[in-house]
Amino acid sequence: LVDRALRFSASAHRGQKRLGFLVKRHRNSIRRDWLHHSQSDPGHRRLKLSAQKRTSPILPLVDEALRSMKFTPKEMAQMNMKAATQHGRLRRAQGYTTTGLVEDYNLIRRCVSALAEKNLNQLEAHLLLHDLSQLSEVFDIQLQHALRKFLARA
């Protein structure tokens, strides 16, 4: 029983050293940093949206990505990316351009990378590259879903 508890404790501790755990724990700072970057971006700045409307799809995208990153890229491609589809629909209604939609994902990646860099000493280095790669794969697939919905005739 003690051995089992120690194994669980060790695996729980390892989970805390993964990128997904760090991103979950810092969701609000990712949203805040994303908003800051968005307000600095000339394409995003031209859209007169409240901070709440501007950031509303960001955390659902991040949450969906975190849930999806445990799958293979092939499995991810078959998944229903509901948050990404809603993101594409919403950004079209808000007057975004296609490049603005793409920039949303670039800004999310920038925020996650900065978070990882800032907390590098807390992460398992040998797993970080894999986690970043998986997350990037999910963001690419989400972007495809969002673009399909964004470009579809309403």
Side-chain angles (χ1 to χ4, degrees), residues 75-145:
E75 291 168 328
M76 287 178 208
Q78 304 302 317
M79 296 174 71
N80 177 14
M81 298 286 179
K82 187 177 175 184
T85 301
Q86 291 172 341
H87 177 236
R89 180 184 308 118
L90 176 66
R91 290 309 198 211
R92 181 184 175 117
Q94 290 175 331
Y96 270 63
T97 62
T98 52
T99 54
L101 179 73
V102 171
E103 189 60 16
D104 274 0
Y105 290 91
N106 291 339
L107 296 178
I108 294 171
R109 288 178 214 262
R110 185 181 304 162
C111 293
V112 169
S113 294
L115 179 67
E117 188 175 347
K118 197 183 314 178
N119 293 278
L120 198 54
N121 62 333
Q122 297 176 33
L123 297 170
E124 290 283 345
H126 70 282
L127 297 172
L128 180 58
L129 192 57
H130 174 266
D131 290 350
L132 284 169
S133 175
Q134 284 292 101
L135 202 52
S136 187
E137 189 76 40
V138 177
F139 289 146
D140 288 344
I141 292 168
Q142 284 181 314
L143 176 56
Q144 292 170 18
H145 283 261

Side-chain angles (χ1 to χ4, degrees), residues 24-69:
K24 259 184 223 168
R25 207 170 72 214
H26 292 277
R27 292 170 79 250
N28 290 330
S29 67
I30 288 173
R31 184 182 60 225
R32 185 182 57 246
D33 293 347
W34 184 93
L35 179 61
H36 172 75
H37 290 307
S38 174
Q39 291 170 332
S40 302
D41 180 79
H44 280 191
R45 207 173 37 233
R46 75 169 181 78
L47 295 165
K48 303 302 177 210
L49 296 171
S50 68
Q52 196 280 326
K53 284 185 178 179
R54 192 176 294 274
T55 61
S56 66
I58 302 309
L59 290 183
L61 289 172
V62 169
D63 293 342
E64 181 174 76
L66 291 174
R67 284 190 306 273
S68 303
M69 68 185 279

